[in-house]
mmCIF file of all heavy atoms in Angstrom:
data_model
loop_
_atom_site.group_PDB
_atom_site.id
_atom_site.type_symbol
_atom_site.label_atom_id
_atom_site.label_comp_id
_atom_site.label_asym_id
_atom_site.label_seq_id
_atom_site.Cartn_x
_atom_site.Cartn_y
_atom_site.Cartn_z
ATOM 1 N N ILE B 99 81.507 85.028 89.373
ATOM 2 C CA ILE B 99 81.975 85.653 88.110
ATOM 3 C C ILE B 99 80.841 86.398 87.388
ATOM 4 O O ILE B 99 81.079 87.459 86.773
ATOM 5 C CB ILE B 99 82.611 84.604 87.181
ATOM 6 C CG1 ILE B 99 83.199 85.222 85.921
ATOM 7 C CG2 ILE B 99 81.621 83.486 86.822
ATOM 8 C CD1 ILE B 99 83.940 84.247 85.023
ATOM 9 N N ASP B 100 79.594 85.872 87.520
ATOM 10 C CA ASP B 100 78.504 86.429 86.726
ATOM 11 C C ASP B 100 78.075 87.821 87.146
ATOM 12 O O ASP B 100 77.291 88.467 86.445
ATOM 13 C CB ASP B 100 77.291 85.462 86.793
ATOM 14 C CG ASP B 100 77.535 84.241 85.934
ATOM 15 O OD1 ASP B 100 78.472 84.260 85.099
ATOM 16 O OD2 ASP B 100 76.798 83.262 86.093
ATOM 17 N N ILE B 101 78.596 88.323 88.249
ATOM 18 C CA ILE B 101 78.271 89.696 88.639
ATOM 19 C C ILE B 101 78.796 90.661 87.565
ATOM 20 O O ILE B 101 78.286 91.788 87.450
ATOM 21 C CB ILE B 101 78.917 90.020 90.023
ATOM 22 C CG1 ILE B 101 78.259 91.270 90.614
ATOM 23 C CG2 ILE B 101 80.400 90.179 89.969
ATOM 24 C CD1 ILE B 101 78.592 91.512 92.091
ATOM 25 N N LEU B 102 79.718 90.233 86.723
ATOM 26 C CA LEU B 102 80.304 91.089 85.682
ATOM 27 C C LEU B 102 79.604 90.950 84.334
ATOM 28 O O LEU B 102 79.867 91.709 83.406
ATOM 29 C CB LEU B 102 81.795 90.742 85.498
ATOM 30 C CG LEU B 102 82.669 90.906 86.754
ATOM 31 C CD1 LEU B 102 84.034 90.241 86.553
ATOM 32 C CD2 LEU B 102 82.855 92.390 87.103
ATOM 33 N N LYS B 103 78.671 89.998 84.263
ATOM 34 C CA LYS B 103 78.029 89.631 82.966
ATOM 35 C C LYS B 103 77.313 90.815 82.331
ATOM 36 O O LYS B 103 77.370 90.977 81.103
ATOM 37 C CB LYS B 103 76.990 88.551 83.278
ATOM 38 C CG LYS B 103 76.753 87.592 82.128
ATOM 39 C CD LYS B 103 75.881 86.454 82.655
ATOM 40 C CE LYS B 103 75.842 85.313 81.624
ATOM 41 N NZ LYS B 103 75.219 84.107 82.235
ATOM 42 N N ALA B 104 76.612 91.583 83.137
ATOM 43 C CA ALA B 104 75.805 92.676 82.612
ATOM 44 C C ALA B 104 76.692 93.826 82.119
ATOM 45 O O ALA B 104 76.252 94.708 81.385
ATOM 46 C CB ALA B 104 74.866 93.214 83.686
ATOM 47 N N TYR B 105 77.964 93.798 82.502
ATOM 48 C CA TYR B 105 78.821 94.923 82.205
ATOM 49 C C TYR B 105 79.593 94.794 80.886
ATOM 50 O O TYR B 105 79.790 95.765 80.160
ATOM 51 C CB TYR B 105 79.817 95.138 83.357
ATOM 52 C CG TYR B 105 80.781 96.239 83.020
ATOM 53 C CD1 TYR B 105 80.371 97.569 83.092
ATOM 54 C CD2 TYR B 105 82.062 95.958 82.578
ATOM 55 C CE1 TYR B 105 81.237 98.579 82.725
ATOM 56 C CE2 TYR B 105 82.905 96.937 82.222
ATOM 57 C CZ TYR B 105 82.507 98.268 82.299
ATOM 58 O OH TYR B 105 83.330 99.255 81.924
ATOM 59 N N SER B 106 80.003 93.570 80.570
ATOM 60 C CA SER B 106 80.817 93.368 79.386
ATOM 61 C C SER B 106 80.610 91.932 78.854
ATOM 62 O O SER B 106 80.215 91.051 79.609
ATOM 63 C CB SER B 106 82.313 93.570 79.738
ATOM 64 O OG SER B 106 83.144 93.185 78.633
ATOM 65 N N LYS B 107 80.893 91.742 77.572
ATOM 66 C CA LYS B 107 80.850 90.364 77.008
ATOM 67 C C LYS B 107 82.068 89.578 77.441
ATOM 68 O O LYS B 107 82.108 88.365 77.309
ATOM 69 C CB LYS B 107 80.810 90.446 75.474
ATOM 70 C CG LYS B 107 79.441 90.641 74.884
ATOM 71 C CD LYS B 107 79.402 90.335 73.394
ATOM 72 C CE LYS B 107 80.430 91.200 72.663
ATOM 73 N NZ LYS B 107 80.255 91.165 71.194
ATOM 74 N N ASN B 108 83.094 90.287 77.851
ATOM 75 C CA ASN B 108 84.356 89.644 78.231
ATOM 76 C C ASN B 108 84.681 89.894 79.683
ATOM 77 O O ASN B 108 84.913 91.037 80.081
ATOM 78 C CB ASN B 108 85.501 90.180 77.367
ATOM 79 C CG ASN B 108 85.250 89.870 75.896
ATOM 80 O OD1 ASN B 108 85.307 88.716 75.486
ATOM 81 N ND2 ASN B 108 84.952 90.927 75.107
ATOM 82 N N PHE B 109 84.650 88.799 80.443
ATOM 83 C CA PHE B 109 84.836 89.045 81.884
ATOM 84 C C PHE B 109 85.483 87.817 82.537
ATOM 85 O O PHE B 109 85.523 86.726 81.947
ATOM 86 C CB PHE B 109 83.510 89.386 82.544
ATOM 87 C CG PHE B 109 82.408 88.383 82.320
ATOM 88 C CD1 PHE B 109 82.153 87.382 83.260
ATOM 89 C CD2 PHE B 109 81.601 88.423 81.174
ATOM 90 C CE1 PHE B 109 81.135 86.477 83.069
ATOM 91 C CE2 PHE B 109 80.583 87.520 80.977
ATOM 92 C CZ PHE B 109 80.355 86.514 81.940
ATOM 93 N N GLY B 110 85.999 88.044 83.733
ATOM 94 C CA GLY B 110 86.687 86.954 84.436
ATOM 95 C C GLY B 110 87.008 87.327 85.875
ATOM 96 O O GLY B 110 86.553 88.358 86.385
ATOM 97 N N VAL B 111 87.809 86.441 86.501
ATOM 98 C CA VAL B 111 88.227 86.655 87.880
ATOM 99 C C VAL B 111 89.719 86.363 87.972
ATOM 100 O O VAL B 111 90.253 85.460 87.368
ATOM 101 C CB VAL B 111 87.474 85.710 88.843
ATOM 102 C CG1 VAL B 111 87.938 85.892 90.273
ATOM 103 C CG2 VAL B 111 85.980 85.905 88.740
ATOM 104 N N LEU B 112 90.375 87.202 88.756
ATOM 105 C CA LEU B 112 91.811 87.088 89.003
ATOM 106 C C LEU B 112 91.962 87.222 90.518
ATOM 107 O O LEU B 112 92.024 88.324 91.051
ATOM 108 C CB LEU B 112 92.493 88.265 88.285
ATOM 109 C CG LEU B 112 93.973 88.345 88.164
ATOM 110 C CD1 LEU B 112 94.502 87.325 87.169
ATOM 111 C CD2 LEU B 112 94.377 89.760 87.680
ATOM 112 N N TYR B 113 91.931 86.066 91.216
ATOM 113 C CA TYR B 113 91.900 86.112 92.681
ATOM 114 C C TYR B 113 93.236 85.634 93.265
ATOM 115 O O TYR B 113 93.554 84.446 93.215
ATOM 116 C CB TYR B 113 90.745 85.235 93.186
ATOM 117 C CG TYR B 113 90.711 85.006 94.680
ATOM 118 C CD1 TYR B 113 90.717 86.070 95.586
ATOM 119 C CD2 TYR B 113 90.644 83.729 95.199
ATOM 120 C CE1 TYR B 113 90.684 85.843 96.952
ATOM 121 C CE2 TYR B 113 90.608 83.486 96.566
ATOM 122 C CZ TYR B 113 90.623 84.536 97.437
ATOM 123 O OH TYR B 113 90.590 84.332 98.790
ATOM 124 N N PRO B 114 94.020 86.591 93.782
ATOM 125 C CA PRO B 114 95.287 86.179 94.421
ATOM 126 C C PRO B 114 95.026 85.761 95.887
ATOM 127 O O PRO B 114 94.490 86.536 96.648
ATOM 128 C CB PRO B 114 96.121 87.450 94.349
ATOM 129 C CG PRO B 114 95.145 88.590 94.328
ATOM 130 C CD PRO B 114 93.815 88.042 93.852
ATOM 131 N N LEU B 115 95.399 84.536 96.183
ATOM 132 C CA LEU B 115 95.113 84.014 97.540
ATOM 133 C C LEU B 115 96.230 84.407 98.501
ATOM 134 O O LEU B 115 97.192 83.663 98.709
ATOM 135 C CB LEU B 115 94.979 82.472 97.448
ATOM 136 C CG LEU B 115 94.623 81.759 98.762
ATOM 137 C CD1 LEU B 115 93.372 82.355 99.390
ATOM 138 C CD2 LEU B 115 94.443 80.276 98.515
ATOM 139 N N GLN B 116 96.092 85.623 99.016
ATOM 140 C CA GLN B 116 97.105 86.129 99.941
ATOM 141 C C GLN B 116 96.477 87.203 100.829
ATOM 142 O O GLN B 116 95.428 87.746 100.487
ATOM 143 C CB GLN B 116 98.323 86.656 99.188
ATOM 144 C CG GLN B 116 99.533 87.012 100.021
ATOM 145 C CD GLN B 116 99.973 85.912 100.983
ATOM 146 O OE1 GLN B 116 99.319 85.630 101.976
ATOM 147 N NE2 GLN B 116 101.065 85.224 100.632
#
Side-chain angles (χ1 to χ4, degrees):
Chain B
I99 184 175
D100 286 345
I101 197 169
L102 300 168
K103 210 171 192 169
Y105 175 76
S106 171
K107 275 195 303 193
N108 298 292
F109 55 96
V111 179
L112 189 72
Y113 171 54
L115 182 54
Q116 189 51 286

